[in-house]
Amino acid sequence: MKFTTKVVHSQLKGTEEIRSKTTPIYQTSAFSFKSLEELEGFYEGKSPYLYTRTGNPNTDELGGMVAALEGAPAGVATSSGLSAILAAVLAVVQSGDHIIAAEDLYGGTFHMLKEELKGFGIETTFVDFTSREEIEQAITPRTKLLYSETVTNPFMRVEDIQQLVELAEKHNLKTIIDNTFATPYLRQPYLEGVDLVAHSATKYIGGHSDITAGVVTGKEELVKKAREKVVNMGSNLSPFEAWLTARGAKTLGLRMEAQARNSGILADNLRSNQHIKHVYYPDNLSEKGHGAIVTIELDASCNISAFFKSLGWIKIVPTLAGVETTVSYPLGTSHRALPKEAQQKLGINTHVVRISLGIEDAEDIVAQFNEAIEKSVG
Ligand SMILES: *Cc1c(COP(=O)(O)O)cnc(C)c1O
């Protein structure tokens, strides 16, 4: 062999004999075959991998991991939370169908349903999901799907999943729940009867703010359809990002336990602070804790700009779920695009701050917030 032939053909041989403790990263766009018979074997279901967009061990590991945590038979990993939601929704509806969704959904999902899917002939009606009557009144002969989130944002409304599942069964509809904020550590919507569960793994499942990824889990038939959407529409996750996400997910339970504990401590502390008008933190999410997000409304005596400037080591970041405590400003970021009336109806005003609790020591977190509140007053 000459120089260049030699170099491109001198890769590691016999990789199956190397017993790596962790899953190797299959950073490859495709898989090789020894013969036409073996290639044919792929189509007969004898070997699982052909081309990374259609399947890869690292993305399958992540999909399987989250499915196991949710108690679901199947899961598929995708390039982002939004692509997971899209694949889940398209596994259930098509052009001409109608969706009923909660009015307080994550902004990106709201936009996707309201604008993008509408352009493909899929209509969504957004209603107040605390009202069973409103949901039932919105049902039409074309309705196929009820869509909501286990916990909505930024005011941490806990969805009544049991009621949703009952309504869906009564009217022969499917249900999809975005379980990003609760995580399967705190809630397992599939085991509560939901058909498909979607995740932004970018948040707690990955947990380290270094990837963008999503997962759909749920009923086998529907996950199969969701996987077809991912493959055919090209929203697969890259092997390396799947590997990082699966690595992060190993500590999901430990992180959520610490983060939920810190949230409870901070929420209790802020409830007794005279400058805090409201503390939004649920008390009915799970026996293991109530999530790791605390949203507060400062009172009029606080200067919001001074508050954000006085947070010391706590960074302003328009996302959530990392191991570091961060704050975000819903009015200026996540809920910026909402019409004024919708912001007002939901209660998103100039003094609302969303806090994503990390794993730091609770005393430090509480002290830093108390200092920022003090400095923001007068
Ligand atoms: C972030 C988020 C999404 C979107 O996920 P991406 O990974 O950013 O695409 C969807 N739902 C919820 C509840 C989220 O917090």
Side-chain angles (χ1 to χ4, degrees), residues 80-82 85 106 109 149 178 180-181 200 202-203 212-213 320:
S80 69
L82 272 191
I85 292 163
Y106 173 75
T109 310
E149 299 168 351
D178 177 335
T180 301
F181 273 52
S200 171
T202 310
K203 312 292 167 48
T212 298
L320 57 117

Side-chain angles (χ1 to χ4, degrees), residues 191-252:
L191 297 180
E192 296 178 57
V194 166
D195 295 298
L196 282 175
V197 179
H199 279 281
S200 171
T202 310
K203 312 292 167 48
Y204 293 105
I205 289 176
H208 295 76
S209 315
D210 50 9
I211 49 91
T212 298
V215 179
V216 182
T217 66
K219 292 206 172 121
E220 195 134 30
E221 266 308 297
L222 289 174
V223 171
K224 191 172 162 225
K225 280 195 187 164
R227 184 188 288 274
E228 280 165 22
K229 304 300 169 195
V230 173
V231 169
N232 296 327
M233 309 216 297
S235 52
N236 54 294
L237 182 62
S238 84
F240 181 52
E241 293 205 72
W243 184 88
L244 276 176
T245 309
R247 180 170 95 140
K250 290 176 187 174
T251 56
L252 176 61

Side-chain angles (χ1 to χ4, degrees), residues 80-238:
S80 69
L82 272 191
S83 64
I85 292 163
L86 180 62
V89 168
L90 294 183
V92 175
V93 303
Q94 58 184 18
S95 179
D97 290 342
H98 175 242
I99 301 170
I100 302 173
E103 65 182 357
D104 48 355
L105 291 184
Y106 173 75
T109 310
F110 179 78
H111 184 87
M112 182 205 286
L113 295 173
K114 186 164 184 283
E115 306 292 338
E116 303 296 344
L117 289 187
K118 190 169 175 223
F120 290 96
I122 297 164
E123 290 275 349
T124 303
T125 304
F126 296 91
V127 307
D128 176 357
F129 265 36
T130 61
S131 160
R132 189 188 173 107
E133 292 71 43
E134 277 201 35
I135 300 174
E136 286 200 296
Q137 275 162 17
I139 295 173
T140 77
R142 296 186 151 179
T143 308
K144 289 277 157 61
L145 171 65
L146 300 181
Y147 184 98
S148 189
E149 299 168 351
T150 322
V151 196
T152 65
N153 155 44
F155 297 120
M156 307 297 118
R157 178 180 69 82
V158 177
E159 186 57 85
D160 185 342
I161 293 179
Q162 199 187 331
Q163 169 174 287
L164 219 57
V165 168
E166 270 171 32
L167 274 179
E169 276 167 6
K170 181 174 163 199
H171 297 279
N172 200 21
L173 309 173
K174 296 275 189 277
T175 47
I176 298 179
I177 286 280
D178 177 335
N179 198 32
T180 301
F181 273 52
T183 83
Y185 180 71
L186 298 177
R187 287 288 285 270
Q188 297 159 304
Y190 174 77
L191 297 180
E192 296 178 57
V194 166
D195 295 298
L196 282 175
V197 179
H199 279 281
S200 171
T202 310
K203 312 292 167 48
Y204 293 105
I205 289 176
H208 295 76
S209 315
D210 50 9
I211 49 91
T212 298
V215 179
V216 182
T217 66
K219 292 206 172 121
E220 195 134 30
E221 266 308 297
L222 289 174
V223 171
K224 191 172 162 225
K225 280 195 187 164
R227 184 188 288 274
E228 280 165 22
K229 304 300 169 195
V230 173
V231 169
N232 296 327
M233 309 216 297
S235 52
N236 54 294
L237 182 62
S238 84

